[in-house]
């Protein structure tokens, strides 16, 4: 009889958002008149911008004619898009990244989850707590988690707490892990790290031979001058860091799917024989074997983001969400909540009222104000007592929700 990957059975069965959905469903059924405002899941609400829509239509037409039809494309993405990413997202900002270091994919969730394929299961990983759950769960699936402890941590993973006490800034690890995941602007806390903090992490990784997996899915939300949008703005990062990016939150691609991962050529890891091996060809090999490329149509849509119209229209959308976040921050603080995030991020992280647990606060907001958020404890034990609200709803609903809270 065949056997399964036992690691999957170690994972708790309920995914955070399924539990949230189940509680909303139960509440709606018993309160059919409640007008619930959802500020929980991090999906966008604004449509794709006109420049992207035009490009998507044109790409659909390309597929209708013999001489412009595109079937399988390059697994790592079309050159027409990779060249624009390298130029606009990096070189124009003084960052040295080549087209052959960019791997276009169907999104950052897949890439942050799949990157473990090219890394030994013996590596010890470190994550912030709270954390985007995909990093932890995919490592548990690969056997890097150990077992689940009563406190909600995995035995083999090092957690770097981010709480009010340390200003939500993680301290350097105590046990020299091999791989460190950082996500900035952060999901779920909405905080950012400045250049000095990121430099400290890059230096730590260089000194200790660690790989830094840097998730920059929310880089477009950075507005504070001097806050890096890419880890490669930090000297020496090319030798230690992989960067993940997404068109989901920056351009509304959550439904049509597109992202990319940067694997610099200098980045090397040890093989079993003690040789230093480049990760760029390993990731290329992984992608060409297991992935058949993002769709031509989607990549043409993303290409339009790099035109002047695409740039201004997508910035306008991000500004809209940041405007929501400003309304939320102001209202929440006015209502007496202690919160962080929301200035360079679509997320606001607040302390649950009156010492409530995260889930108690979830039920309280739903029942009293008909507002849905995400319990902080779902992102890790250090998130207990906190709550995440997102700025992705409409302005109208955001204002309505905040007015309810203020009253
Ligand atoms: N990384 C972080 C930190 C996220 O919050 C999300 C989505 O919420 C993703 C990655 C997933 O991005 P994508 O839609 O590109 O898969």
């Amino acid at each position: 009889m065949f056997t399964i990957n036992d690691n999957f059975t170690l994972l708790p069965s309920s995914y955070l958002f399924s539990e949230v959905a189940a509680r909303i469903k139960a509440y709606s059924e018993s309160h059919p008149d409640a007008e619930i405002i959802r500020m929980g899941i991090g999906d966008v609400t604004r449509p794709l911008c006109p420049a992207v829509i035009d490009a998507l239509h044109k790409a659909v037409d390309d597929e209708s004619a013999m001489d412009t039809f595109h079937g399988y494309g390059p697994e790592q993405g079309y050159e027409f898009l990779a060249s624009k990413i390298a130029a606009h997202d990096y070189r124009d900002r003084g960052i040295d990244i080549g087209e052959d270091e960019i791997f276009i994919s169907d999104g950052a969730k897949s890439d942050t989850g799949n990157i473990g394929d090219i890394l030994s299961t013996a590596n010890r990983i470190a994550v912030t707590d709270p954390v985007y759950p995909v990093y932890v769960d995919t490592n548990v699936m690969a056997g890097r988690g150990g077992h689940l402890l009563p406190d909600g941590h995995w035995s083999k993973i090092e957690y770097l707490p981010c709480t009010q006490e340390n200003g939500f800034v993680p301290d350097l690890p105590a046990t020299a892990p091999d791989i460190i995941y950082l996500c900035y602007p952060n999901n779920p806390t909405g905080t950012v790290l400045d250049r000095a903090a990121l430099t400290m992490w890059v230096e730590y990784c260089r000194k200790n031979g660690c790989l830094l997996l840097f998730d920059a899915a929310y880089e477009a939300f950075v507005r504070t001058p001097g806050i890096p949008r890419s880890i490669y703005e930090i000297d020496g990062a090319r030798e230690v860091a992989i960067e993940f990016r997404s068109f989901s939150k920056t351009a509304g691609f959550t439904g049509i799917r597109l992202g990319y991962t940067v694997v610099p050529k200098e980045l090397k890891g040890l093989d079993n024989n003690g040789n230093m091996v480049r990760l760029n060809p390993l990731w290329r090999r992984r992608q060409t074997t297991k992935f058949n490329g993002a769709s031509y149509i989607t990549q043409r849509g993303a290409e339009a983001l790099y035109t002047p119209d695409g740039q201004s229209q997508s910035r306008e959308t991000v500004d809209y969400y940041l405007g929501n976040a400003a309304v939320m921050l102001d209202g929440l603080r006015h209502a007496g909540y202690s919160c962080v995030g929301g200035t360079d991020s679509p997320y606001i992280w607040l302390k649950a009222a009156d010492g409530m647990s995260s889930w108690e606060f979830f039920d309280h907001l739903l029942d009293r104000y008909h507002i849905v958020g995400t319990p902080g404890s779902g992102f890790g034990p250090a998130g207990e007592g906190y709550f995440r609200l997102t700025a992705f709803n409409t302005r109208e609903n955001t204002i309505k929700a905040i007015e309810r809270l203020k009253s």
Side-chain angles (χ1 to χ4, degrees):
M1 187 65 188
F2 69 88
T3 52
I4 59 155
N5 177 351
D6 267 355
N7 297 319
F8 278 70
T9 66
L10 301 173
L11 286 165
S13 58
S14 171
Y15 185 58
L16 172 64
F17 294 110
S18 322
E19 177 62 23
V20 167
R23 291 201 190 197
I24 301 171
K25 186 163 176 279
Y27 188 82
S28 307
E29 279 166 10
S30 56
H31 301 80
D33 296 331
E35 191 209 339
I36 294 172
I37 300 180
R38 290 162 197 260
M39 302 173 103
I41 297 185
D43 199 356
V44 296
T45 50
R46 309 278 293 166
L48 294 164
C49 66
V52 169
I53 291 294
D54 289 347
L56 289 172
H57 280 300
K58 187 171 172 308
V60 170
D61 288 343
D62 286 349
E63 296 296 69
S64 72
M66 190 75 101
D67 55 348
T68 49
F69 170 75
H70 286 73
Y72 288 129
E75 292 90 345
Q76 71 279 12
Y78 282 100
E79 196 274 338
F80 65 75
L81 180 57
S83 60
K84 285 179 185 89
I85 291 171
H88 289 258
D89 291 350
Y90 294 103
R91 282 201 294 272
D92 286 359
R93 297 183 195 167
I95 305 167
D96 173 27
I97 293 292
E99 282 151 44
D100 51 359
E101 296 174 313
I102 291 165
F103 296 85
I104 295 161
S105 72
D106 64 349
K109 186 179 195 173
S110 319
D111 287 356
T112 52
N114 292 332
I115 196 72
D117 277 11
I118 63 165
L119 301 164
S120 161
T121 50
N123 285 303
R124 287 184 61 93
I125 72 152
V127 295
T128 59
D129 181 10
V131 68
Y132 177 53
V134 172
Y135 314 149
V136 171
D137 290 2
T138 54
N139 276 289
V140 171
M141 290 171 184
R144 294 189 199 94
H147 58 275
L148 191 56
L149 300 167
D151 69 359
H153 286 143
W154 291 89
S155 62
K156 285 194 190 164
I157 296 179
E158 177 169 0
Y159 290 83
L160 312 168
C162 297
T163 58
Q164 221 159 22
E165 287 68 46
N166 61 9
F168 302 94
V169 177
D171 292 329
L172 290 173
T175 64
D178 304 300
I179 299 169
I180 300 167
Y181 288 80
L182 289 182
C183 169
Y184 286 97
N186 187 257
N187 177 13
T189 65
T191 54
V192 288
L193 287 188
D194 63 16
R195 186 173 299 280
L198 288 176
T199 301
M200 183 183 82
W201 281 97
V202 167
E203 280 172 5
Y204 176 88
C205 290
R206 287 169 65 89
K207 194 162 147 235
N208 294 284
C210 303
L211 172 64
L212 179 56
L213 297 178
F214 191 78
D215 188 341
Y218 298 94
E219 55 83 27
F221 289 80
V222 172
R223 290 288 185 272
T224 304
I227 298 293
R229 291 171 65 171
S230 165
I231 194 64
Y232 304 118
E233 290 181 44
I234 309 298
D235 283 345
R238 286 180 57 88
E239 280 140 50
V240 293
I242 289 177
E243 179 161 287
F244 303 95
R245 293 243 184 144
S246 169
F247 292 98
S248 284
K249 312 302 163 70
T250 58
F253 277 51
T254 52
I256 63 171
R257 315 295 310 135
L258 205 68
Y260 64 88
T261 288
V262 181
V263 188
K265 297 233 178 101
E266 286 91 327
L267 185 56
K268 292 180 189 160
L270 272 184
D271 72 8
N272 260 338
N273 301 316
N275 303 311
M276 293 297 276
V277 176
R278 288 186 200 280
L279 268 57
N280 178 294
L282 295 189
W283 184 244
R284 186 174 304 278
R285 188 75 171 88
R286 192 268 170 211
Q287 290 298 80
T288 51
T289 301
K290 290 198 183 182
F291 182 61
N292 242 344
S295 85
Y296 168 75
I297 296 169
T298 314
Q299 291 186 67
R300 280 290 183 206
E303 183 190 21
L305 290 165
Y306 296 98
T307 61
D309 279 351
Q311 291 278 289
S312 66
Q313 290 164 5
S314 56
R315 190 180 166 95
E316 214 171 279
T317 303
V318 170
D319 282 343
Y320 177 91
Y321 295 132
L322 285 169
N324 286 349
V327 168
M328 292 161 69
L329 264 187
D330 183 58
L332 287 164
R333 288 190 172 136
H334 190 263
Y337 287 99
S338 152
C339 16
V340 291
T343 47
D344 295 295
S345 158
Y347 296 124
I348 292 178
W349 187 246
L350 55 128
K351 188 109 181 93
D354 304 326
M356 279 185 242
S357 75
S358 299
W359 277 109
E360 281 167 353
F361 190 65
F362 175 92
D363 291 332
H364 168 74
L365 277 194
L366 179 58
D367 191 38
R368 178 126 179 232
Y369 304 103
H370 302 157
I371 293 171
V372 173
T374 310
S377 54
F379 298 98
E384 181 55 275
Y386 292 92
F387 205 71
R388 190 191 76 174
L389 290 177
T390 80
F392 288 125
N393 214 311
T394 59
R395 180 65 49 82
E396 191 192 3
N397 276 344
T398 302
I399 291 172
K400 209 186 276 179
I402 293 302
E403 286 307 317
R404 287 185 196 167
L405 280 177
K406 281 203 221 164
S407 69

